[in-house]
PDB file of all heavy atoms in Angstrom:
ATOM      1  N   GLY A  72      56.747 -46.843  21.486  1.00 94.00           N
ATOM      2  CA  GLY A  72      57.879 -47.762  21.581  1.00 94.00           C
ATOM      3  C   GLY A  72      59.042 -47.316  20.712  1.00 94.00           C
ATOM      4  O   GLY A  72      60.208 -47.424  21.108  1.00 94.00           O
ATOM      5  N   ILE A  73      58.727 -46.806  19.518  1.00 94.00           N
ATOM      6  CA  ILE A  73      59.769 -46.291  18.626  1.00 94.00           C
ATOM      7  C   ILE A  73      60.461 -45.085  19.257  1.00 94.00           C
ATOM      8  O   ILE A  73      61.685 -44.955  19.212  1.00 94.00           O
ATOM      9  CB  ILE A  73      59.163 -45.921  17.259  1.00 94.00           C
ATOM     10  CG1 ILE A  73      58.712 -47.188  16.522  1.00 94.00           C
ATOM     11  CG2 ILE A  73      60.163 -45.141  16.414  1.00 94.00           C
ATOM     12  CD1 ILE A  73      57.902 -46.909  15.266  1.00 94.00           C
ATOM     13  N   VAL A  74      59.657 -44.204  19.861  1.00 94.00           N
ATOM     14  CA  VAL A  74      60.218 -43.013  20.499  1.00 94.00           C
ATOM     15  C   VAL A  74      61.174 -43.399  21.623  1.00 94.00           C
ATOM     16  O   VAL A  74      62.308 -42.900  21.707  1.00 94.00           O
ATOM     17  CB  VAL A  74      59.083 -42.113  21.048  1.00 94.00           C
ATOM     18  CG1 VAL A  74      59.678 -40.938  21.832  1.00 94.00           C
ATOM     19  CG2 VAL A  74      58.204 -41.611  19.916  1.00 94.00           C
ATOM     20  N   ILE A  75      60.739 -44.310  22.495  1.00 94.00           N
ATOM     21  CA  ILE A  75      61.574 -44.669  23.641  1.00 94.00           C
ATOM     22  C   ILE A  75      62.790 -45.473  23.199  1.00 94.00           C
ATOM     23  O   ILE A  75      63.852 -45.411  23.840  1.00 94.00           O
ATOM     24  CB  ILE A  75      60.750 -45.441  24.702  1.00 94.00           C
ATOM     25  CG1 ILE A  75      61.407 -45.332  26.082  1.00 94.00           C
ATOM     26  CG2 ILE A  75      60.576 -46.905  24.322  1.00 94.00           C
ATOM     27  CD1 ILE A  75      61.396 -43.969  26.672  1.00 94.00           C
ATOM     28  N   TYR A  76      62.681 -46.200  22.076  1.00 95.00           N
ATOM     29  CA  TYR A  76      63.853 -46.925  21.572  1.00 95.00           C
ATOM     30  C   TYR A  76      64.962 -45.948  21.183  1.00 95.00           C
ATOM     31  O   TYR A  76      66.143 -46.201  21.429  1.00 95.00           O
ATOM     32  CB  TYR A  76      63.478 -47.802  20.377  1.00 95.00           C
ATOM     33  CG  TYR A  76      64.692 -48.441  19.722  1.00 95.00           C
ATOM     34  CD1 TYR A  76      65.323 -49.531  20.303  1.00 95.00           C
ATOM     35  CD2 TYR A  76      65.218 -47.931  18.534  1.00 95.00           C
ATOM     36  CE1 TYR A  76      66.441 -50.106  19.729  1.00 95.00           C
ATOM     37  CE2 TYR A  76      66.337 -48.501  17.949  1.00 95.00           C
ATOM     38  CZ  TYR A  76      66.947 -49.599  18.552  1.00 95.00           C
ATOM     39  OH  TYR A  76      68.069 -50.147  17.987  1.00 95.00           O
ATOM     40  N   PHE A  77      64.585 -44.827  20.591  1.00 92.00           N
ATOM     41  CA  PHE A  77      65.603 -43.855  20.212  1.00 92.00           C
ATOM     42  C   PHE A  77      66.159 -43.115  21.422  1.00 92.00           C
ATOM     43  O   PHE A  77      67.253 -42.552  21.363  1.00 92.00           O
ATOM     44  CB  PHE A  77      65.048 -42.899  19.157  1.00 92.00           C
ATOM     45  CG  PHE A  77      65.001 -43.517  17.786  1.00 92.00           C
ATOM     46  CD1 PHE A  77      63.807 -43.908  17.218  1.00 92.00           C
ATOM     47  CD2 PHE A  77      66.173 -43.754  17.090  1.00 92.00           C
ATOM     48  CE1 PHE A  77      63.772 -44.497  15.965  1.00 92.00           C
ATOM     49  CE2 PHE A  77      66.157 -44.348  15.835  1.00 92.00           C
ATOM     50  CZ  PHE A  77      64.951 -44.721  15.269  1.00 92.00           C
ATOM     51  N   VAL A  78      65.429 -43.127  22.529  1.00 95.00           N
ATOM     52  CA  VAL A  78      65.999 -42.647  23.791  1.00 95.00           C
ATOM     53  C   VAL A  78      67.091 -43.605  24.250  1.00 95.00           C
ATOM     54  O   VAL A  78      68.199 -43.190  24.622  1.00 95.00           O
ATOM     55  CB  VAL A  78      64.906 -42.513  24.873  1.00 95.00           C
ATOM     56  CG1 VAL A  78      65.536 -42.208  26.238  1.00 95.00           C
ATOM     57  CG2 VAL A  78      63.909 -41.424  24.496  1.00 95.00           C
ATOM     58  N   PHE A  79      66.786 -44.912  24.214  1.00 93.00           N
ATOM     59  CA  PHE A  79      67.790 -45.907  24.604  1.00 93.00           C
ATOM     60  C   PHE A  79      69.019 -45.839  23.706  1.00 93.00           C
ATOM     61  O   PHE A  79      70.155 -45.889  24.170  1.00 93.00           O
ATOM     62  CB  PHE A  79      67.200 -47.328  24.530  1.00 93.00           C
ATOM     63  CG  PHE A  79      65.920 -47.527  25.294  1.00 93.00           C
ATOM     64  CD1 PHE A  79      65.017 -48.506  24.911  1.00 93.00           C
ATOM     65  CD2 PHE A  79      65.620 -46.740  26.391  1.00 93.00           C
ATOM     66  CE1 PHE A  79      63.844 -48.705  25.607  1.00 93.00           C
ATOM     67  CE2 PHE A  79      64.441 -46.929  27.099  1.00 93.00           C
ATOM     68  CZ  PHE A  79      63.547 -47.899  26.710  1.00 93.00           C
ATOM     69  N   SER A  80      68.768 -45.732  22.397  1.00 93.00           N
ATOM     70  CA  SER A  80      69.887 -45.697  21.461  1.00 93.00           C
ATOM     71  C   SER A  80      70.675 -44.394  21.583  1.00 93.00           C
ATOM     72  O   SER A  80      71.883 -44.363  21.321  1.00 93.00           O
ATOM     73  CB  SER A  80      69.385 -45.879  20.021  1.00 93.00           C
ATOM     74  OG  SER A  80      68.439 -44.885  19.687  1.00 93.00           O
ATOM     75  N   GLY A  81      69.987 -43.313  22.021  1.00 93.00           N
ATOM     76  CA  GLY A  81      70.700 -42.067  22.267  1.00 93.00           C
ATOM     77  C   GLY A  81      71.697 -42.198  23.408  1.00 93.00           C
ATOM     78  O   GLY A  81      72.812 -41.667  23.351  1.00 93.00           O
ATOM     79  N   LEU A  82      71.311 -42.921  24.446  1.00 94.00           N
ATOM     80  CA  LEU A  82      72.232 -43.201  25.546  1.00 94.00           C
ATOM     81  C   LEU A  82      73.412 -44.050  25.065  1.00 94.00           C
ATOM     82  O   LEU A  82      74.552 -43.864  25.507  1.00 94.00           O
ATOM     83  CB  LEU A  82      71.488 -43.919  26.681  1.00 94.00           C
ATOM     84  CG  LEU A  82      70.483 -43.054  27.456  1.00 94.00           C
ATOM     85  CD1 LEU A  82      69.606 -43.923  28.342  1.00 94.00           C
ATOM     86  CD2 LEU A  82      71.209 -42.013  28.297  1.00 94.00           C
ATOM     87  N   TYR A  83      73.122 -44.985  24.162  1.00 93.00           N
ATOM     88  CA  TYR A  83      74.199 -45.816  23.595  1.00 93.00           C
ATOM     89  C   TYR A  83      75.182 -44.964  22.790  1.00 93.00           C
ATOM     90  O   TYR A  83      76.399 -45.176  22.837  1.00 93.00           O
ATOM     91  CB  TYR A  83      73.573 -46.905  22.724  1.00 93.00           C
ATOM     92  CG  TYR A  83      74.541 -47.668  21.853  1.00 93.00           C
ATOM     93  CD1 TYR A  83      75.726 -48.186  22.367  1.00 93.00           C
ATOM     94  CD2 TYR A  83      74.258 -47.885  20.511  1.00 93.00           C
ATOM     95  CE1 TYR A  83      76.602 -48.899  21.555  1.00 93.00           C
ATOM     96  CE2 TYR A  83      75.117 -48.592  19.702  1.00 93.00           C
ATOM     97  CZ  TYR A  83      76.284 -49.087  20.221  1.00 93.00           C
ATOM     98  OH  TYR A  83      77.155 -49.793  19.425  1.00 93.00           O
TER      99      TYR A  83
END
Side-chain angles (χ1 to χ4, degrees):
I73 292 171
V74 175
I75 203 67
Y76 173 77
F77 283 106
V78 172
F79 307 154
S80 58
L82 290 168
Y83 168 48

